[in-house]
Structures are given as structure tokens and as C-alpha cells.
Amino acid sequence: MASPATHHHHHHLLPFSLSLSLLLFSLVVVMVLGVSAFLLEYVRKIGCKHSLERDAVSDAFFEDPNSLKKVPCPSIFDPAEKYISLIIPAYNEEHRLPGTLDETLSYLQQRSATEKSFTYEVLIVDDGSTDRTAKVAFDYVRKYKIDNVRVLLLRRNHGKGEAIRKGMLHSRGELLLMLDADGATKVTDLEKLESQIHELARSVNKVNSVASTTTSSSSNLSDTEIAACGSRAHLEKQALATRKWYRNFLMKGFHLVVLLTAGHGIRDTQCGFKMFTRAAARKLFTNIRLKRWCFDVELVYLCKKLRIPMLEISVNWSEIPGSKVRLTSIAHMLFELILIRVGYGLGIWKIHT
């Protein structure tokens, strides 16, 4: 028979473990609530900032080193003045930018020489670089004139998404292409995206002009909402073989989270080679909220929500060393993906149409 002492001891144990688990439980609840409150507040802040930025009229000018006059900054809400705009975000790219610009501009000049209707502009967005990126960029403005090459200077580093958003909102093209400063994608591949956009626009407008006989049938390209994404999905097998196992592991994990955030449809969201019609860009880039990592995923998400058709088109892509993705970036990416789900999912971020 157990002595009363041990019996007494058992008696005390239960309330103690219970209070401990209650304490732990309440700690967990407090933490969860704290994290949720932080997230919601963060999401709300981004939303407020965004609505302020959306309504702010840009008083930006382009500096023209040739005439030293200030060239007024166009808006995505103005009608198109060029056939195509190329937007190149650049952060500390003094070394890689010249090669990319030489190749890009020689291609654009060649095409505009053979096709009269082919007019272009290249917009380099200097994302607060601390090296000679701006100087390099302005050399091209001097050489090719302000009507063809423009530089947008952001006072401090905002992030690639913000640089592209700013470039898009101040472009003049019917078609707008974002591409990376490192020249990972061949510029001639823009023809693949362009021809598919034209093809889809024709079929969309054919259907519309049949449906509504009242509107003029000369529906132009810049009013048809279409997005086309360059994709490296076809290179995946080869890429998996050449990269370190942990990078592939992170990549697969990232793709899974992207799938959970934006849904399926686009296999490679992260390729920096994307083309939009003016109407699509107007809707997408006045809505986009993320500034750094996952704005690509947000674009895909917005396309779905706004019912903008997205084409995924294979492009040539060469892995350029000097990727700015670090391990900490993965944490940032996951955080931003959560923001997309929370912000749009709970309707804190309104989608303006």
C-alpha cells in the first residue's frame, strides 16, 4: 500500500503540469496573436502607402544631358507614343549594363531601320546604385538621344519590383517589356513574346468585334489586356544538374510555396523577361504592392484576379554569375508570399480596375 506521503505527492503534480501547459498554451496564443497583429498592421501599412503612391501625380522629369532641358515624364495613363518600351532595372550594374545595352540597342536600331512602324524606347531605372551605373546609363542617352533612351533615377535603393513599377508607369509603349540588366536573356527573344501577344490580341479582338458591331473594329493592341512571361521551365532538367543540391532543394520548396500562393498556370514566375500590353501594364503596375522579391509572383496573382490572359513562352537563358539571391532572401521571399495571401485574401489590399 502506498504511503500517504507519496499519495500526497501525486496530488500536487497534476495541477502543476496543468498550469504549465496552460502557461505554454497562453504563451503560444499571445505569440500567434502578436505575429498576426504585426502581419495585419504591416499589410495595412503597405496598403495605405500604396494608395498614397497611386494617387500621387509624378512630377518626375528625365534629365537630358544633350540639351540640359528637363523632359516631362509621361504616364501609363497617356496614350502610347511608341511601339515598344524596354524597362531595365539596374542596381550597381556598371559592369554588366554596357554589354546588355549595346546588344539591345543594336537590335532595336536594326529593326527600326527595316520596319517603319517599329519605334522604341529604352528606360533604364537606376535603383539607387552606389557605383557608376547612372553615368554609364547617361552615356547611352547622349549617344542615342533622349527620345530613345531615358534614365529614371531613384534616390535610394527600393528593390527590383519598385524599379520596374516606376519604369512601367512612365513608359510610352504599346508593348512594355521588362528585362534584366545582366543580359541573361537574348533580346531577340522578345519577338517570340511579341508575336504570341499579337496572335492572341487578334483572336480576342475578332471575337469582340463580332460580338459588338457598334464599336469600331480598329481595336488596337495597347487596349487589349495580355501578359507574356518568358520562361526557363524547359531548361529545368539541365539547371538541376548543374546547381548545388541545397539550391535545388530551396528552389523546389520555393516553387511549392509559389504554387500555394498564386496557383498553377505559370511554371517559372521568376524569369525577368516579361512583356505586357499597355492596358495590362496599366492595371497590373498601378496595383502592385511588393517592391523587392516576389513582385513577379504578385504579378501572376494579379493577372489571375484581373482575368488578364498570361502566356508562358520559352526563352533562351544563360545563368549569369553574381546572382543577388542569398539565404536570407529566401526568408524575405516567404514573408512576401505570406503578405500576398493575407493582403489580397483578407481584402485589405483592394484591386483597382
Side-chain angles (χ1 to χ4, degrees):
M1 192 176 165
S3 68
T6 52
H7 200 81
H8 184 75
H9 177 69
H10 273 296
H11 225 65
H12 263 290
L13 227 140
L14 187 80
F16 176 69
S17 62
L18 193 69
S19 57
L20 189 69
S21 51
L22 267 173
L23 184 72
L24 281 172
F25 176 69
S26 47
L27 267 175
V28 168
V29 168
V30 166
M31 274 182 66
V32 167
L33 286 173
V35 168
S36 311
F38 165 75
L39 250 177
L40 288 172
E41 183 50 32
Y42 195 84
V43 165
R44 201 186 60 78
K45 223 155 74 197
I46 292 177
C48 289
K49 243 180 107 171
H50 175 260
S51 53
L52 285 174
E53 284 173 2
R54 251 192 113 247
D55 302 334
V57 177
S58 172
D59 52 359
F61 286 90
F62 290 111
E63 305 283 338
D64 181 5
N66 291 326
S67 69
L68 299 178
K69 285 199 186 80
K70 285 188 185 301
V71 175
C73 218
S75 154
I76 190 93
F77 292 100
D78 303 336
E81 295 171 38
K82 294 273 186 184
Y83 170 66
I84 193 166
S85 297
L86 277 66
I87 290 113
I88 305 177
Y91 175 60
N92 291 350
E93 291 288 1
E94 63 173 327
H95 300 299
R96 302 196 290 190
L97 195 58
T100 305
L101 287 176
D102 287 341
E103 194 182 320
T104 303
L105 283 156
S106 78
Y107 164 77
L108 293 170
Q109 282 198 304
Q110 227 172 320
R111 257 192 85 173
S112 66
T114 50
E115 303 168 38
K116 282 291 160 272
S117 62
F118 186 85
T119 53
Y120 68 87
E121 67 172 347
V122 175
L123 223 148
I124 304 140
V125 188
D126 176 11
D127 189 15
S129 299
T130 51
D131 66 352
R132 292 167 52 255
T133 297
K135 187 192 171 304
V136 169
F138 275 119
D139 287 342
Y140 284 86
V141 184
R142 276 191 197 88
K143 189 175 168 191
Y144 293 93
K145 307 293 174 284
I146 191 90
D147 191 45
N148 300 312
V149 180
R150 303 183 155 190
V151 181
L152 205 57
L153 298 172
L154 304 187
R155 297 284 178 288
R156 56 185 178 84
N157 178 258
H158 286 275
K160 187 176 170 185
E162 179 65 1
I164 289 170
R165 184 183 79 93
K166 282 272 200 310
M168 290 279 176
L169 294 181
H170 299 309
S171 292
R172 296 173 290 169
E174 287 183 57
L175 292 175
L176 302 117
L177 173 74
M178 53 183 255
L179 70 161
D180 291 338
D182 60 10
T185 312
K186 284 261 171 293
V187 67
T188 48
D189 279 353
L190 74 82
E191 292 175 15
K192 295 185 187 177
L193 277 62
E194 179 191 1
S195 66
Q196 296 238 25
I197 286 181
H198 275 283
E199 206 173 305
L200 184 58
R202 270 196 297 275
S203 63
V204 167
N205 290 331
K206 202 173 280 161
V207 171
N208 289 350
S209 61
V210 168
S212 61
T213 44
T214 48
T215 53
S216 63
S217 56
S218 64
S219 228
N220 73 15
L221 184 67
S222 54
D223 295 335
T224 313
E225 291 169 14
I226 303 170
C229 299
S231 168
R232 307 160 300 187
H234 60 296
L235 303 169
E236 191 171 22
K237 279 197 180 62
Q238 174 205 339
L240 286 175
T242 55
R243 281 201 298 257
K244 302 264 192 307
W245 68 268
Y246 59 87
R247 276 194 64 188
N248 290 333
F249 179 71
L250 287 172
M251 207 64 210
K252 287 276 179 227
F254 180 67
H255 282 169
L256 183 68
V257 182
V258 168
L259 199 69
L260 295 172
T261 308
H264 55 89
I266 297 291
R267 286 167 66 198
D268 177 16
T269 55
Q270 299 309 105
C271 178
F273 200 73
K274 296 186 172 70
M275 189 183 281
F276 308 91
T277 58
R278 195 168 183 80
R282 186 181 301 137
K283 270 196 184 171
L284 293 169
F285 290 96
T286 50
N287 273 304
I288 196 159
R289 271 119 171 141
L290 297 181
K291 295 176 188 283
R292 274 205 189 273
W293 301 102
C294 296
F295 68 95
D296 303 83
V297 181
E298 190 184 1
L299 282 172
V300 174
Y301 184 87
L302 282 169
C303 276
K304 293 200 151 161
K305 286 279 181 221
L306 291 162
R307 299 221 166 89
I308 296 173
M310 287 198 99
L311 307 162
E312 189 169 17
I313 298 152
S314 300
V315 292
N316 296 300
W317 194 83
S318 43
E319 183 121 16
I320 306 286
S323 152
K324 296 197 172 84
V325 179
R326 309 265 172 280
L327 261 174
T328 48
S329 318
I330 302 284
H332 285 153
M333 287 175 173
L334 289 175
F335 180 60
E336 287 200 347
L337 291 174
I338 294 168
L339 291 182
I340 293 177
R341 287 276 1 156
V342 173
Y344 291 111
L346 297 180
I348 303 171
W349 294 355
K350 303 270 181 285
I351 297 179
H352 306 272
T353 51

